[in-house]
Amino acid sequence: MPLALAISAISPALAHAQAAPGLIPIESFVREDQYFNPKMSPDGKHLAVTVRTPVGKRTIPMVTFYSLPDLKLESTIRMPLFSVPVSYQWVSNTRLVVEKGIEVGSREAPRATGEVLAMDFDGTNQAYLYGHEMTTYSKQGGRYGNDWGYASPAYFPDTRNDHVQLGTYLWRNEASSLYDVDTRSAIRKELTTIPVANATFVIQNDGKPRFVIATDEQNYLKLWRYSDATGKWAMVEEKPGSRLSPNDFSADNKEFLAWYSEHGGPSKLVRQKLDSDERRVVAEDEIGSIDRVMHASSHALPVAAFTHTGRPRVIYLEPSHPDVALHQALSAQFPDATVNLVSATDDGSKLLAFVHSDRDPGVVYLYDRKANKADQLYVSMGGIDPDQMAPRRPIKFKARDGLLLEGYLTLPKLASGAKPPLILLPHGGPHGLFDTWYFDTDAQFLASRGYAVLQVNYRGSGGRGEHFKTLGYREWGGKILDDLVDGVKWTVAQGEVDGTRMCAYGGSFGAYAALMLASREPDMFKCAVGYAGIYELPLLHKEDQVKGNSRMSSTFVRYIGEDAAELARYSPAQHAASIKAGVLLIHGGHDETAPKEHAFLMKEALEKAGHAPEWYYVDYEGHGFYDTENQTEVYKRLEAFFAKYLGKPK
């Protein structure tokens, strides 16, 4: 099915910048994802998209509405300072439900506040549906009072009727409830309640709740199922070490699709009958879990799934669905990228396609099925020219104990035969997060300055099942660092980088790893950078968000243990005297994930050892810097710091 693609953007201002050859400006990397999360109205006449809009020294995410197909600006909705739209969905041709969140730092995703709002696309008829300010903002505030709890959308009816189902739980109550909410009147109807906290309700296509996924007191995931016969919820018992997470239902609700992990292994996609235990695998990967699914215009089961380890590949779940032929045709037009059909009209006549890769932050196309034509709408980072970015090569190697590990090597474009310095870039987390093949701002910035960048999905990372994740428990300063060192040695052995010029740099846990490596391997790295890092492990058990929270407390006991000697041995602030490398510490005073005490303790320990670090501290910033000037300054300091210790690449 050939496609006539209109490669020129509808609005030239939204097209990728064609930068002149030479050093790419720092500002091009600071302008992250200017446009993202596009959602098309059911009739295809309106587009909702989050736009980062410059306001003073920072960019503020705002929900912005355009008419289609001409992309004419219709309205922009700005929330109060630091409040952002986390997600939104159309409940009619003109109305959306919006989940509200707050910014907590550029190194951490916005945190949902539990408040849910609704509005028309022109900003009118706003309604506050759930949250702790009901009496102030909601027309039903006097009826329900303030909700001292949390809500998130659980189900949107296929027949758009301005209604949404909200899953809710009260902060001081071990129970969760599901409500049907009229988004115009804000009136609720309770559908069910289950005596577990923070439940995720999984709803059938007919609007009936069938499953609940939640955690127990020790923060282990559990599954509950609703019985029509008894009218009650009951926990589903799986084999030890196995986990089932239902997600979608067939059109007749007789089967469901679920992620299934057996014996702690990677999650597969299975299709199972609702009235029996009969299940079959429909998508799996040899090394990693199935990452995400693609619904396109399907109102029931997704049509495809994607892997995430290495170079992602697509697995078609419904080969006869018309969207599969469309996806194959679009993918043929972009062989070096991944195509994801992210939004569609109710009749499937128009779809939005998000095309992205290791070198391209992303382009969104509007496809018209009747005209068989795709027009470019916008790009994510307008200052980035993909042709100037470096390819990200998937790698595999074995750790010293034989464990197979994978990751990515980003090599800069240098003169033939030149070996660039290497920067090790451990990801944050550590448990549950992982690096992917797609565009990475830090890696591409460093590669643009001539450095090779190594990223390793060490043990404890997500994406490879619960067993792989648990291998990192109480190994923060042990086998996790072994994996990173083994990755560096493997990379140097390939003969493409200069093993005599290497540094480590990371954010959050990556910052912890960088400083621990500088202490443990003093002759391997010339320098280390910690950005929003954790450096004193005993402090983690004393933080307010951990004390008094049994789930958080149990999780940290699993992650780092409670043994005082072990915590001291794995705390870089207590081993500053063994660090030879140059150190740069970057931190925000309002960081709640890695409180500022960590940075000051690390700084003081290095000063006491006679090895004072370079220091960039901004009191009003959080877990990563938001203000554009401060983000730019971070990259300027990184550029100067690495040049100082590694020299400018030849």
Side-chain angles (χ1 to χ4, degrees):
M1 185 173 64
L3 292 173
L5 293 180
I7 299 302
S8 59
I10 289 177
S11 172
L14 304 186
H16 271 306
Q18 298 300 313
L23 198 63
I24 302 168
I26 286 176
E27 289 73 15
S28 296
F29 296 97
V30 171
R31 292 170 56 193
E32 292 183 284
D33 290 340
Q34 188 176 0
Y35 306 91
F36 58 100
N37 196 24
K39 299 285 185 180
M40 191 160 42
S41 63
D43 60 4
K45 294 182 179 180
H46 309 285
L47 175 70
V49 61
T50 302
V51 180
R52 293 188 188 273
T53 306
V55 177
K57 296 182 178 181
R58 59 197 300 118
T59 57
I60 307 297
M62 304 182 190
V63 182
T64 303
F65 298 91
Y66 298 92
S67 61
L68 291 175
D70 58 351
L71 214 64
K72 179 183 178 182
L73 179 64
E74 294 180 315
S75 65
T76 297
I77 310 299
R78 177 182 175 180
M79 293 183 173
L81 187 63
F82 300 113
S83 296
V84 296
V86 173
S87 67
Y88 38 84
Q89 187 60 270
W90 295 89
V91 291
S92 74
N93 288 327
T94 59
R95 192 164 181 79
L96 290 94
V97 165
V98 181
E99 190 176 5
K100 181 182 172 184
I102 56 173
E103 298 174 316
V104 291
S106 63
R107 294 277 156 174
E108 190 171 343
R111 187 179 301 159
T113 62
E115 300 167 275
V116 180
L117 326 171
M119 68 184 73
D120 289 348
F121 73 92
D122 59 1
T124 61
N125 300 315
Q126 296 185 15
Y128 190 92
L129 306 180
Y130 192 97
H132 61 274
E133 295 189 281
M134 283 288 292
T135 57
T136 302
Y137 295 120
S138 178
K139 63 180 71 176
Q140 301 298 336
R143 182 176 187 174
Y144 301 123
N146 289 329
D147 297 305
W148 301 113
Y150 181 96
S152 61
Y155 172 76
F156 296 92
D158 282 341
T159 302
R160 315 289 176 137
N161 58 2
D162 286 335
H163 280 244
V164 63
Q165 290 186 16
L166 297 180
T168 71
Y169 80 95
L170 299 178
W171 293 322
R172 299 183 182 277
N173 188 5
E174 288 288 315
S176 299
S177 298
L178 182 70
Y179 291 95
D180 176 85
V181 182
D182 185 322
T183 67
R184 293 196 176 274
S185 67
I187 292 176
R188 312 169 185 171
K189 177 184 177 182
E190 184 178 338
L191 300 178
T192 187
T193 294
I194 181 172
V196 296
N198 198 14
T200 297
F201 290 90
V202 185
I203 316 297
Q204 294 180 174
N205 294 311
D206 57 6
K208 293 181 180 179
R210 181 59 62 193
F211 295 102
V212 156
I213 302 171
T215 59
D216 60 15
E217 282 291 324
Q218 283 71 48
N219 213 26
Y220 288 107
L221 281 173
K222 302 292 182 181
L223 177 67
W224 286 261
R225 175 172 172 158
Y226 183 79
S227 169
D228 291 326
T230 65
K232 296 180 180 179
W233 291 94
M235 186 179 293
V236 178
E237 296 293 338
E238 282 289 336
K239 298 177 182 177
S242 298
R243 178 183 297 167
L244 184 73
S245 299
N247 189 59
D248 291 284
F249 292 84
S250 59
D252 59 8
N253 294 309
K254 292 183 178 180
E255 292 184 300
F256 63 90
L257 198 73
W259 275 273
Y260 179 63
S261 171
E262 193 171 15
H263 307 304
S267 294
K268 310 172 184 179
L269 270 181
V270 298
R271 188 163 173 170
Q272 180 171 328
K273 294 184 179 299
L274 195 62
D275 60 0
S276 74
D277 292 331
E278 181 184 340
R279 64 173 66 123
R280 59 187 174 88
V281 176
V282 295
E284 62 182 325
D285 183 56
E286 183 180 356
I287 297 178
S289 300
I290 296 299
D291 184 21
R292 53 190 168 85
V293 296
M294 181 179 73
H295 282 82
S297 63
S298 171
H299 296 282
L301 293 172
V303 300
F306 296 90
T307 63
H308 74 76
T309 55
R311 166 73 190 271
R313 60 186 177 90
V314 63
I315 302 172
Y316 293 112
L317 309 176
E318 301 286 334
S320 62
H321 196 283
D323 290 346
V324 169
L326 168 62
H327 186 269
Q328 290 173 326
L330 284 169
S331 297
Q333 297 283 337
F334 304 99
D336 297 325
T338 297
V339 177
N340 191 15
L341 302 176
V342 296
S343 183
T345 56
D346 275 353
D347 62 3
S349 63
K350 296 178 181 178
L351 300 95
L352 295 181
F354 180 58
V355 182
H356 62 142
S357 72
D358 57 338
R359 293 179 293 167
D360 194 336
V363 185
V364 172
Y365 291 88
L366 171 63
Y367 174 73
D368 188 314
R369 197 184 293 272
K370 293 179 181 178
N372 194 30
K373 182 181 179 182
D375 289 317
Q376 181 178 311
L377 290 185
Y378 70 82
V379 300
S380 295
M381 296 173 68
I384 294 296
D385 178 3
D387 290 338
Q388 292 186 321
M389 297 296 103
R392 289 167 57 72
R393 183 193 305 169
I395 62 170
K396 294 179 185 177
F397 64 93
K398 285 190 175 181
R400 63 190 68 181
D401 61 359
L403 181 67
L404 179 65
L405 299 173
E406 51 85 29
Y408 302 91
L409 180 63
T410 306
L411 291 171
K413 299 179 179 180
L414 297 179
S416 178
K419 291 186 177 182
L422 178 68
I423 295 177
L424 173 67
L425 184 62
H427 66 71
H431 306 289
L433 298 185
F434 51 90
D435 287 312
T436 71
W437 173 75
Y438 297 109
F439 187 92
D440 184 290
T441 304
D442 278 345
Q444 290 293 356
F445 168 73
L446 294 171
S448 76
R449 268 50 186 170
Y451 302 107
V453 180
L454 172 65
Q455 294 167 279
V456 175
N457 284 320
Y458 45 78
R459 69 191 70 205
S461 302
R464 290 183 61 180
E466 191 67 18
H467 175 67
F468 188 81
K469 179 180 173 181
T470 60
L471 290 177
Y473 287 175
R474 296 182 67 172
E475 294 290 350
W476 283 26
K479 292 182 179 179
I480 287 179
L481 298 191
D482 290 346
D483 292 346
L484 293 169
V485 170
D486 292 346
V488 169
K489 291 180 177 179
W490 178 89
T491 302
V492 171
Q494 306 311 301
E496 296 179 287
V497 303
D498 185 349
T500 66
R501 294 186 294 159
M502 300 189 296
C503 286
Y505 155 54
S508 197
F509 174 83
Y512 163 88
L515 271 296
M516 275 300 296
L517 284 168
S519 170
R520 211 189 78 166
E521 309 286 340
D523 297 321
M524 177 173 281
F525 299 100
K526 301 290 186 183
C527 64
V529 181
Y531 186 7
I534 291 168
Y535 308 115
E536 180 68 7
L537 296 192
L539 289 181
L540 294 178
H541 288 303
K542 301 176 182 179
E543 293 178 9
D544 291 338
Q545 61 180 341
V546 176
K547 292 188 302 182
N549 185 325
S550 62
R551 288 174 170 82
M552 287 285 289
S553 179
S554 297
T555 299
F556 272 104
V557 168
R558 289 198 292 274
Y559 285 177
I560 61 175
E562 297 179 287
D563 181 81
E566 185 176 290
L567 293 175
R569 188 167 66 252
Y570 286 170
S571 292
Q574 300 194 36
H575 301 281
S578 60
I579 294 177
K580 298 179 182 179
V583 175
L584 168 61
L585 298 177
I586 305 169
H587 218 91
H590 285 190
D591 192 333
E592 296 180 3
T593 303
K596 61 183 179 182
E597 287 78 11
H598 287 274
F600 280 100
L601 281 172
M602 191 74 236
K603 177 175 178 287
E604 292 165 5
L606 286 166
E607 290 172 339
K608 186 177 180 181
H611 191 59
E614 295 188 29
W615 176 253
Y616 182 37
Y617 174 81
V618 181
D619 185 64
Y620 61 85
E621 290 281 13
H623 197 56
F625 295 171
Y626 264 122
D627 280 7
T628 304
E629 290 182 3
N630 295 335
Q631 291 185 60
T632 302
E633 182 64 22
V634 167
Y635 276 150
K636 285 182 178 178
R637 296 198 181 209
L638 288 175
E639 186 175 38
F641 185 76
F642 289 133
K644 175 181 177 180
Y645 286 95
L646 299 178
K648 292 186 178 181
K650 300 177 182 178

